[in-house]
Structure formats: C-alpha cells, structure tokens
Amino acid sequence: RLDGIAAAGARWGEACEEVAAGVDAADARRERLLEEVLQVEPQWEAHRSRTLEVVEAWAQDGRRAVDAFSEASSLRDEATAEFGKLREEVLRHKTAAEAGAEAWESSGRAHGATLAEVLEQGATCADGDRATLAARDRGLEERCAEAASLAS
C-alpha cells in the first residue's frame, strides 16, 4: 500500500508540476497581453478620441443641414403663398384691364357711330349751304343784270 500511496503522490506531484507550468505559462501570456495592451492603448485612445470628434462634427453638420432644410422649407412655403397672392392680383388686374378694354372698344364704336352721324349731317349741311349759296349767287346775278339793264 505504501507503494500505491507513493505512486499516487508521484502522480499528484506531476499533476501539480503540470498545473504550475500551465499557471506560469498563463501568467507569462497575461503579462505579454498586458504589455501589448499598454503599447496599443495610447493609439486606441487617440483613434477613439478622433472618432468621437468626427462623429460629433458629423452630428453637428447633420443638425445644421436639418436647420437649413427647415428654413428652406419655410421660405418655400412663404414664396408659394406670395406667388399665390401675386397670381390673384394679376388676375384682378387682368379682369380690370379686360373690362377697361371692352368699355374702351364700346366707347370707340359709339364714337364712331356718332362721328358718322356728324359727318352725314355735315355733308347734308354742306349740300344745303351750297344750294343756298347758288341761289343767292343767282339772285345777285339777276339783280346785277337788272341793275345793268336799268342803267343802260
């Protein structure tokens, strides 16, 4: 039995040696990883910091773009309303101009008819005046002829 205990103790010692070697290897590996982390950490911090700056700048640009689009939308709405008012005003002016043109055209026709009547009356008067003058001239000629015959 002592041989069994000695053999078990030897196996136990070997197992302990293996565990100790594994622990030493793991510790050495942990040390190397820690050294690598310490070497990479400043670069990681710099990249992290720069990434945060870029993300913040991108977010600010996004907010400015949203503000610009919002303002543009508001200006578009105002311009649309102004164009609507302008269109209504133009239509009012057009309607008033059409009414004025119709009135002017109607007045022109009325004046044309009136002028035609005036010209007709003027022609009638002129004919009457010519007849009156011709009769007067004949009357004068007759009196002149009488006076000439009396004087002779």
Side-chain angles (χ1 to χ4, degrees):
R1 253 184 164 202
L2 282 180
D3 285 335
I5 292 177
R11 280 193 309 268
W12 177 257
E14 288 173 10
C16 284
E17 289 289 324
E18 285 179 28
V19 169
V23 168
D24 288 343
D27 189 46
R29 191 164 177 175
R30 186 188 65 79
E31 287 295 323
R32 280 193 312 273
L33 288 174
L34 186 58
E35 286 176 17
E36 288 176 8
V37 166
L38 290 176
Q39 287 177 353
V40 172
E41 189 173 15
Q43 293 173 351
W44 182 85
E45 277 295 325
H47 289 299
R48 179 180 176 273
S49 176
R50 179 65 186 137
T51 300
L52 289 175
E53 289 172 6
V54 168
V55 167
E56 180 57 33
W58 180 72
Q60 287 176 356
D61 289 345
R63 286 189 292 272
R64 281 194 294 269
V66 166
D67 291 345
F69 284 130
S70 176
E71 184 177 347
S73 177
S74 176
L75 291 173
R76 182 204 62 215
D77 292 345
E78 288 177 20
T80 299
E82 288 296 318
F83 282 133
K85 290 177 185 175
L86 179 61
R87 182 179 181 279
E88 290 173 8
E89 185 176 342
V90 166
L91 287 175
R92 280 194 305 274
H93 286 293
K94 178 184 173 264
T95 301
E98 287 172 346
E102 287 174 12
W104 181 71
E105 185 178 2
S106 176
S107 293
R109 283 191 299 273
H111 288 132
T114 303
L115 284 174
E117 286 179 28
V118 167
L119 287 174
E120 189 178 319
Q121 288 175 358
T124 301
C125 286
D127 289 343
D129 287 347
R130 275 193 289 278
T132 302
L133 285 175
R136 189 190 71 174
D137 286 346
R138 279 192 305 276
L140 281 175
E141 285 175 6
E142 288 173 0
R143 285 191 192 130
C144 284
E146 261 179 50
S149 91
L150 290 175
S152 16

